[in-house]
Amino acid sequence: MSNLNTGMVEKYRNNFLNEVEANVEEGEWVKMCMQCGVCSGSCPLGPYWDHPPQELFMMIRAGKREEVLESTSMWMCTSCYNCLVRCPRELPITHIMHGLAHYATRLGIEPKGQPTRQFAQLFWDNLAKNGRVNELWLGVNLYFMNGFVNGIKVAMGMAGIGLGMYKSGRLSIKELIGGHTVKDKSGFKAMIKKAQELESARVDK
Amino acid sequence: MSKEYSFYPGCSSQEGASSSNYLKSVQSMCDVLDIKLNVIPDWNCCSASIGYCGGGELPRLALSARNIALSEKHNQGQDIVATCAACWLATKETQERLDDDAGLMDETNQALAEAGLKIENKTKIRHMVEVLIEDIGYEEMGKHVSKPLDGIKIAGYVGCQTNRPFGIEGESFENPKYLDKFIETLGAEPVEKYDKKVSCCGGALAFSEPEKSQALIKDIIEAAYDGGADMIVTPCPVCQMNVEVYQDKINATYGTKFNMPVTYYSTLMSVAYGKNSKQSGLNGQIIKAKKLEEVASK
């Protein structure tokens, strides 16, 4: 268990709702859920969530901290915003799901092998490196995220699609070395670093 | 006099990237409509909707804030226009969040200062589709049609992020009509009651949860076939890619025989405006849009 996680358990004791309100993006909305279930019924991947949004909201109020934060549920969010526009109480559900996923990651208790968790981290690392996404490396890293042998298998399975993209001019080999980048890379990186420091200071206080 | 905008093309529009054909057709379309796009100098990624794992709220907001700040500095007074749904959404969301929260605004500016920038946050953030509807208008869009897309039946697939949470002024979330109106304006026939027009294609999860996403994509394509469509058209780069490129996989899994072209609204416009196949980005199709090719070569 990370120090931050232990610290948060200490700090909030049995009040997980308070912890979510203080530390999760848009978390202050959670208590507004009236348990109607429209969000859960509107989700394109609804059947795959261990706990759909409405259930997560009640679990937060019931103090089920580990069950919520270690869940794979919020990693099923496709960011389609169906739940958000339909919620009668106007909870920003999509953002709360992203917020819970990020907070779990920050605490180091997120489901490590969950594929969307892995891909989401790859995406962030990819864009943070040069300021712009390098699609070729994103694909390569994605295929090989579960080891080399498995990666070869996945890559072979995807070869047809890759070739189609290449032939239609929508995948460039040039991206292998260098590729697209912002010019002011040092300014860009300093900005991200500062934003991360400010945010950490807020969570740690 | 041409209309000028501060343009945010986004990562997928770059040379050799997955929606470079989108940009090509947008340029051709704008050329005809006398729209001048001034690229935001040194723009960066918006982190789309999948950046949340590594990026917390503030780092993500800083990304879009940097683009807005650069636009305010270099393309002063011009509305920001994005062609990518995720770029538009992330930038607009940032603007809203910073407007609502003075503390976040202050911290964002502290981060931007590290890059020598400052955000005023007074710039209007718009999708290209909004520019077409609101600044150009359907009538003007129709006037430039030199090769009507007669006899082509098209399913207008709006998808998620061009539609929710912000959507287009005057349109509903559940049944937006603008894409169908585009199709009609260009002389083609929209599929009536295309029930999957705002369904999700899986978005970024097409990469991480391929089977689950392909099941969603299958329904989107099937509904288009059921409506008698020759092709699907969309305003979103992720929708375009997801719905086009996995059809072989879906055919192998489900025993279907899908071979449905998926293009952008700008591809249709470019062709209807008399641009050739290459200028319209048709060479970027993996599943060839044969009916559009025929019109383009007329």
Side-chain angles (χ1 to χ4, degrees):
Chain A
M1 217 185 254
S2 73
N3 288 337
L4 183 60
N5 188 40
T6 322
M8 286 299 182
V9 172
E10 282 290 313
K11 186 171 170 188
Y12 291 95
R13 297 286 167 178
N14 289 322
N15 204 329
F16 183 40
L17 177 63
N18 279 358
E19 182 180 350
V20 169
E21 286 173 336
N23 300 297
V24 172
E25 189 172 337
E26 304 284 336
E28 67 279 10
W29 279 93
V30 169
K31 65 177 183 202
M32 286 296 283
C33 171
M34 61 184 200
Q35 292 293 301
C36 71
V38 167
C39 51
S40 309
S42 300
C43 179
L45 292 186
Y48 302 105
W49 294 53
D50 286 338
H51 310 289
Q54 148 227 10
E55 213 169 288
L56 287 175
F57 294 145
M58 189 47 93
M59 289 166 73
I60 291 170
R61 304 188 72 158
K64 296 188 179 296
R65 189 177 187 275
E66 281 71 36
E67 281 151 280
V68 170
L69 294 176
E70 292 171 13
S71 168
T72 59
S73 295
M74 50 275 190
W75 301 95
M76 290 290 160
C77 173
T78 65
S79 307
C80 79
Y81 291 81
N82 237 339
C83 54
L84 184 146
V85 299
R86 288 180 181 170
C87 175
R89 282 273 181 92
E90 298 179 340
L91 271 77
I93 302 174
T94 312
H95 302 139
I96 303 170
M97 293 305 117
H98 294 174
L100 284 169
H102 177 77
Y103 185 56
T105 307
R106 184 180 283 274
L107 298 176
I109 56 173
E110 81 286 13
K112 298 279 185 303
Q114 211 285 334
T116 300
R117 201 237 44 120
Q118 287 176 292
F119 180 65
Q121 187 66 50
L122 285 176
F123 190 91
W124 176 264
D125 295 343
N126 187 302
L127 80 90
K129 196 174 167 207
N130 289 320
R132 293 184 186 179
V133 166
N134 183 314
E135 291 180 342
L136 184 62
W137 274 113
L138 186 64
V140 170
N141 289 328
L142 168 73
Y143 300 155
F144 289 90
M145 72 185 183
N146 291 318
F148 186 73
V149 176
N150 188 61
I152 295 290
K153 222 168 73 190
V154 179
M156 301 261 285
M158 293 298 286
I161 292 173
L163 193 63
M165 295 293 284
Y166 175 71
K167 280 184 177 163
S168 60
R170 292 159 60 186
L171 187 68
S172 170
I173 300 300
K174 278 190 269 180
E175 293 286 295
L176 259 188
I177 350 158
H180 297 293
T181 170
V182 292
K183 284 190 211 89
D184 181 24
K185 229 194 300 192
S186 65
F188 174 84
K189 288 194 172 181
M191 173 191 80
I192 295 293
K193 189 164 166 271
K194 183 73 179 173
Q196 284 167 333
E197 283 168 10
L198 287 167
E199 186 155 275
S200 295
R202 217 193 307 149
V203 175
D204 293 343
K205 76 167 185 283
Chain B
M1 207 178 87
S2 55
K3 293 188 163 66
E4 292 200 38
Y5 300 92
S6 180
F7 184 46
Y8 178 30
C11 299
S12 66
S13 266
Q14 297 176 100
E15 194 197 335
S18 58
S19 72
S20 45
N21 53 335
Y22 185 13
L23 181 60
K24 187 87 208 153
S25 62
V26 164
Q27 284 164 339
S28 296
M29 174 190 84
C30 288
D31 172 46
V32 174
L33 296 173
D34 203 14
I35 294 172
K36 188 165 180 246
L37 300 175
N38 305 311
V39 174
I40 299 173
D42 212 34
W43 57 269
N44 54 258
C45 175
C46 71
S47 91
S49 47
I50 196 72
Y52 61 79
C53 177
E57 185 180 23
L58 192 60
R60 278 188 292 114
L61 294 177
L63 288 174
S64 291
R66 181 174 176 274
N67 292 329
I68 299 173
L70 284 168
S71 179
E72 287 175 338
K73 185 174 172 187
H74 298 285
N75 297 337
Q76 215 181 4
Q78 296 169 19
D79 293 352
I80 293 177
V81 172
T83 40
C84 167
C87 291
W88 176 58
L89 195 161
T91 313
K92 220 170 143 76
E93 211 162 78
T94 298
Q95 176 157 71
E96 209 172 64
R97 202 74 69 87
L98 296 182
D99 257 350
D100 283 351
D101 190 328
L104 272 179
M105 180 72 170
D106 176 56
E107 289 189 334
T108 301
N109 264 323
Q110 286 182 51
L112 283 174
E114 297 287 319
L117 293 165
K118 186 178 186 315
I119 179 174
E120 298 285 347
N121 209 22
K122 302 280 181 237
T123 305
K124 213 168 163 187
I125 320 288
R126 309 174 72 193
H127 192 282
M128 179 57 83
V129 160
E130 291 178 294
V131 169
L132 293 174
I133 298 170
E134 294 159 10
D135 297 2
I136 306 292
Y138 293 103
E139 205 189 318
E140 177 72 16
M141 276 162 66
K143 273 188 196 159
H144 298 274
V145 175
S146 57
K147 291 179 176 173
L149 309 178
D150 288 331
I152 309 180
K153 198 164 183 184
I154 304 172
Y157 174 49
V158 179
C160 297
Q161 296 192 349
T162 322
N163 185 43
R164 297 179 299 262
F166 297 112
I168 306 297
E169 180 81 25
E171 296 279 1
S172 77
F173 293 130
E174 305 293 350
N175 190 13
K177 305 265 175 58
Y178 68 88
L179 209 45
D180 296 338
K181 285 190 216 161
F182 277 28
I183 294 166
E184 273 177 343
T185 303
L186 302 172
E189 185 193 350
V191 169
E192 291 276 339
K193 301 185 181 61
Y194 177 46
D195 58 316
K196 292 292 171 189
K197 65 158 65 167
V198 294
S199 297
C200 179
C201 69
L205 274 68
F207 294 104
S208 54
E209 297 279 7
E211 289 82 14
K212 295 180 182 74
S213 300
Q214 283 168 28
L216 301 175
I217 297 166
K218 173 183 168 278
D219 291 347
I220 292 162
I221 300 169
E222 207 158 55
Y225 273 113
D226 288 347
D230 298 306
M231 54 178 286
I232 293 174
V233 66
T234 178
C236 170
V238 175
C239 294
Q240 194 286 332
M241 175 161 157
N242 282 352
V243 179
E244 184 190 28
V245 310
Y246 298 110
Q247 292 189 30
D248 280 350
K249 294 250 169 213
I250 293 168
N251 288 341
T253 309
Y254 295 95
T256 46
K257 288 181 181 146
F258 292 165
N259 190 36
M260 177 68 78
V262 187
T263 76
Y264 298 100
Y265 61 92
S266 47
T267 324
L268 299 184
M269 292 175 71
S270 183
V271 171
Y273 290 171
K275 298 283 184 179
N276 68 26
S277 166
K278 203 176 165 202
Q279 291 164 329
S280 306
L282 284 173
N283 53 348
Q285 293 299 124
I286 292 175
I287 298 178
K288 295 292 171 201
K290 292 203 186 84
K291 296 218 166 181
L292 288 182
E293 298 271 10
E294 282 166 24
V295 178
S297 63
K298 260 200 289 207

